[in-house]
Amino acid sequence: MNRKESVGTPPIRHVISEDPNAKIIALSLLLAFLWGGNSLAIKVGLADIPPMALAFLRFVIGLVVVGGWTIYRRIPLGLNPGEFSRLLLLTAIFISQIIVLNTGTMFTTASRSTIFVNVYPFFTALFAHFWIPGERLSLTKTLGIIVAFSGVFVTVAPDLGNGETNILGDLLVLVSGCFLGLRVVVTKLLIQSIHPYRLLVWYLSLSLPVYAILSLLFESDKTFQLTLEGSAALLYQGGVVAGYCFLAWTAILERYSASKLVVLFFVTPLSGVLFSHLLLGDELTFSLLAGSVLVAGGIYLVNLRS
């Protein structure tokens, strides 16, 4: 598996692979920071919109951004024989990931959600070890996984046994990270020829009816409003994260060496915790800070080049 898969992006066919310059490194760091704000935006959006409706609106915006760019780039959207059934499997994993992410974030803080969803590179490494030839766990990757999951334990340890509702949310978001790691590996195994823009267009298009139906069935009695803060959070999730970040990261990986860039994503959980503290007032406890640092360190080690 290429290094780029460890940060959750679909496989990309490289024409050339240049060493990143200072501007590309700075842009990659910016993207890592922006991704760190996703759990914060979900938490803010959930104050106005129920989880499934929020997912639906978020990915409508994402589909407009990515779909528009795909059409502008004249990338064909048609599928090759046999790809649709594989896409259905990937979409099912994608939908499951978003359902537990949005639901879990309701029951925990934005800071903790950021930490737990960002364990997905370690699930990616674990699944790849068993399913992808040549992707065996190295000593450094194994150490990274141990460090990261020690960060998970440090984060939840103060709440164990005291009835905190955070634990339920933490576990759900952790499951979301597992689904994301699984989706990265399944993408690598099943679809290696489809362009990532086209892949995301199909993900979003196939998932939208599911979110709509789930919302109609289970959220018809829920409060639905759209404040200025909620609108900004929704635009951030859909336009910035699902739209701009994906497009910019894909463009980078089409030209530059991924193995020298993905290590920068250790800043994602750190930035998420920082944003949540500054914008939502999440308390910076020792366990939260230590957990985020350990998860960040694990991300760095798992993605470190041999």
Side-chain angles (χ1 to χ4, degrees):
M1 182 177 63
N2 295 332
R3 293 292 183 180
K4 56 184 174 296
E5 269 93 44
S6 62
V7 294
T9 56
I12 295 172
R13 297 160 295 182
H14 286 263
V15 177
I16 54 177
S17 184
E18 301 178 11
D19 287 339
N21 55 38
K23 290 182 179 179
I24 295 301
I25 292 173
L27 177 57
S28 298
L29 277 172
L30 173 62
L31 295 177
F33 272 103
L34 292 176
W35 259 304
N38 191 48
S39 290
L40 165 66
I42 291 173
K43 188 69 175 180
V44 173
L46 288 169
D48 287 356
I49 308 170
M52 297 303 98
L54 182 65
F56 176 81
L57 294 175
R58 169 191 177 183
F59 293 123
V60 165
I61 297 172
L63 181 59
V64 170
V65 174
V66 178
W69 184 250
T70 302
I71 294 172
Y72 173 77
R73 288 279 305 273
R74 298 182 179 180
I75 296 171
L77 293 176
L79 296 176
N80 297 321
E83 285 184 340
F84 185 73
S85 59
R86 299 172 182 178
L87 266 173
L88 286 179
L89 173 60
L90 290 169
T91 302
I93 298 172
F94 174 67
I95 292 170
S96 300
Q97 178 221 330
I98 298 302
I99 289 174
V100 290
L101 174 61
N102 282 16
T103 305
T105 302
M106 283 199 308
F107 297 107
T108 190
T109 65
S111 298
R112 292 163 74 105
S113 178
T114 298
I115 292 174
F116 287 100
V117 77
N118 276 288
V119 301
Y120 75 86
F122 318 115
F123 286 112
T124 299
L126 285 171
F127 291 135
H129 174 78
F130 293 105
W131 294 345
I132 299 180
E135 283 296 318
R136 307 292 293 175
L137 286 174
S138 64
L139 179 61
T140 304
K141 285 185 178 182
T142 303
L143 178 61
I145 292 172
I146 294 172
V147 169
F149 279 98
S150 67
V152 169
F153 176 77
V154 166
T155 303
V156 302
D159 296 331
L160 294 176
N162 65 3
E164 286 283 344
T165 56
N166 277 341
I167 296 297
L168 172 61
D170 294 343
L171 289 175
L172 288 173
V173 178
L174 187 63
V175 171
S176 177
C178 180
F179 275 126
L180 180 53
L182 176 63
R183 179 162 61 91
V184 172
V185 173
V186 172
T187 299
K188 174 68 176 178
L189 287 170
L190 298 184
I191 300 179
Q192 301 189 48
S193 61
I194 187 170
H195 193 281
Y197 295 169
R198 182 159 51 108
L199 185 65
L200 188 60
V201 168
W202 278 95
Y203 273 174
L204 301 183
S205 300
L206 292 172
S207 67
L208 287 178
V210 178
Y211 300 131
I213 292 171
L214 290 175
S215 183
L216 289 173
L217 289 176
F218 301 107
E219 297 176 345
S220 57
D221 59 339
K222 304 295 183 182
T223 302
F224 188 109
Q225 59 182 355
L226 206 57
T227 63
L228 180 60
E229 293 83 0
S231 300
L234 185 58
L235 288 173
Y236 187 91
Q237 295 172 65
V240 176
V241 176
Y244 170 74
C245 286
F246 181 86
L247 293 174
W249 182 239
T250 300
I252 289 173
L253 294 185
E254 286 178 322
R255 180 169 180 178
Y256 295 96
S257 174
S259 62
K260 297 182 179 180
L261 293 171
V262 293
V263 292
L264 302 174
F265 279 75
F266 76 90
V267 305
T268 298
L270 300 178
S271 64
V273 170
L274 177 62
F275 291 153
S276 299
H277 171 67
L278 294 176
L279 299 178
L280 290 183
D282 284 5
E283 184 181 0
L284 291 180
T285 62
F286 172 78
S287 62
L288 186 67
L289 288 172
S292 62
V293 169
L294 287 169
V295 170
I299 291 174
Y300 183 86
L301 289 172
V302 164
N303 290 300
L304 194 64
R305 290 186 301 156
S306 301

